[in-house]
Amino acid sequence: MAESVTTQRQTPGAFGAYVKNVRDTVNSFWEGMSVTLSYMFRKPITTQYPDRVPVPVRDTIPPRYRGFLEVDMDICTACQACERACPIAVINIDILKGDGKTTPKLRMERFDIDIGKCMYCGLCVEPCPTGAIQHTREFEGAVQHFNNLTLRFVPDPLVPAVPYKPPKGAEAFPRQQLGEITRKLIKAWDAPPPPFPSKEETAKADHGKPKAAGLDVAAMGRQLAARALQVKEDKPKLQKVLEEAMAGTDCGDCGYPDCFGYSDAIAQGKDTSTEKCAPGGADSRAMLETILVSLKTGAVPAAAQAEVPAPKPEAAAPAPAEVLGTEPPPK
């Protein structure tokens, strides 16, 4: 009898739960459909991008948005700090070095940024001493040809860009409106690809290699060493000679505020390292070493003369037995 009573009490409860599930399902369905059906009576808000927007999309993006990179060549010091900071070699700079008198110390023949490979990390922006390289709010890079995504900030390699020399102690530098330079370099989406270099042009390309018309490092080092010996006891003048051996970009990569600080530390004997001038590279290191060796020895190293190899004596004609590969008969 107890079992039958229990069965009668469970039956209405199960049926009520079933009805409740059906009611909840209908309510949730109606709530979702009511939102969808409400849009049938609303005015559509489709935006005709990009030609019918009231304000360009780039102007609605926050200022610190990391878009395409831009370089203002008017304030670029050619320190190459951005190229060294890039973890994936997106930035490529070619430098032509001079003596600083008849020709500038540094000239940039190429400054390319491949925005198609850039990962927009911002590491290249941080070490720039003048803020020449910045992220813009430009982002529209849809093109048919991937090679059109390489921005060339030195349009003609035959007309190298002369680096900017920042004034001593300056903290602010004149810069063009952010985005104007990059906007002019971005090509139309259907623009033809750049001409593919021929084998002859590729063979002539010497990116990253010493230029034939560049600086004669050995001769320049000896000239500076001779001048350093003349002003050996005059530390301010010695500092100026040492600074001439550096790139002069005041990038601070050496650990000093500028080239003056580094050269003055060497002149005062507080620093003897010749490898801290990253923009000058091997050329600055070689000239600084020549100067320091001259100051230590008291004489300028002699120019290395090309040794003319002595003519090799002609080999004697082999004996017939040697030609045949047999041993000569015993005597």
Side-chain angles (χ1 to χ4, degrees):
M1 185 65 181
E3 294 180 358
S4 61
V5 173
T6 304
T7 305
Q8 291 177 359
R9 290 179 179 176
Q10 289 179 349
T11 302
F15 180 76
Y18 172 76
V19 173
K20 182 178 182 300
N21 290 337
V22 173
R23 184 174 63 252
D24 293 342
T25 302
V26 173
N27 289 338
S28 63
F29 175 78
W30 174 249
E31 290 176 0
M33 289 302 298
S34 62
V35 176
T36 304
L37 293 174
S38 66
Y39 281 89
M40 296 180 61
F41 307 99
R42 298 183 185 183
K43 185 179 180 180
I45 55 173
T46 304
T47 301
Q48 300 296 331
Y49 176 83
D51 56 343
R52 298 182 187 177
V53 292
V55 179
V57 178
R58 64 172 178 268
D59 295 338
T60 63
I61 299 176
R64 293 186 64 83
Y65 172 77
R66 292 179 183 174
F68 294 161
L69 286 168
E70 176 182 84
V71 182
D72 189 348
M73 299 302 295
D74 293 337
I75 58 174
C76 178
T77 62
C79 65
Q80 299 174 275
C82 56
E83 184 181 31
R84 295 190 299 272
C86 182
I88 54 175
V90 164
I91 303 174
N92 294 280
I93 306 173
D94 282 351
I95 300 294
L96 181 63
K97 298 182 179 180
D99 56 6
K101 297 179 180 179
T102 58
T103 56
K105 274 190 175 183
L106 302 176
R107 286 173 292 168
M108 291 174 284
E109 293 184 316
R110 181 173 74 145
F111 200 128
D112 295 352
I113 299 180
D114 192 345
I115 60 175
K117 298 178 181 177
C118 178
M119 63 182 186
Y120 305 97
C121 62
L123 293 177
C124 59
V125 178
E126 299 300 328
C128 183
T130 61
I133 183 169
Q134 294 285 339
H135 280 289
T136 66
R137 292 186 287 184
E138 299 293 330
F139 64 94
E140 298 174 348
V143 292
Q144 288 184 341
H145 304 283
F146 188 77
N147 291 337
N148 285 337
L149 292 177
T150 300
L151 304 181
R152 305 186 184 280
F153 294 93
V154 179
D156 189 359
L158 300 179
V159 186
V162 179
Y164 173 72
K165 183 66 175 177
K168 297 291 185 181
E171 297 182 357
F173 306 94
R175 198 190 193 286
Q176 297 188 33
Q177 186 69 26
L178 192 64
E180 290 184 356
I181 303 173
T182 298
R183 205 171 301 132
K184 296 177 182 178
L185 296 178
I186 298 176
K187 298 183 179 180
W189 72 274
D190 57 348
F196 196 80
S198 61
K199 291 184 178 180
E200 291 76 12
E201 294 175 342
T202 305
K204 294 179 181 179
D206 50 0
H207 300 310
K209 301 178 181 179
K211 306 296 189 297
L215 175 67
D216 186 350
V217 180
M220 186 67 181
R222 291 192 299 272
Q223 293 177 8
L224 294 176
R227 292 172 51 192
L229 287 175
Q230 296 175 358
V231 295
K232 182 177 181 179
E233 303 302 331
D234 192 340
K235 300 303 180 183
K237 293 183 179 180
L238 179 60
Q239 175 271 324
K240 293 182 179 180
V241 175
L242 290 168
E243 188 173 359
E244 289 187 26
M246 302 174 185
T249 59
D250 294 337
C251 62
D253 196 72
C254 57
Y256 296 90
D258 47 26
C259 296
F260 172 83
Y262 182 27
S263 57
D264 186 64
I266 297 178
Q268 300 294 337
K270 299 178 182 179
D271 198 333
T272 57
S273 175
T274 61
E275 301 178 353
K276 293 184 178 180
C277 186
D283 294 346
S284 292
R285 182 172 65 252
M287 289 188 288
L288 289 174
E289 289 176 353
T290 302
I291 296 173
L292 293 182
V293 169
S294 301
L295 293 175
K296 185 176 181 179
T297 60
V300 178
Q305 298 180 355
E307 297 182 359
V308 180
K312 297 182 180 180
E314 297 182 358
E322 296 177 354
V323 175
L324 296 176
T326 59
E327 296 181 358
K331 296 182 180 179

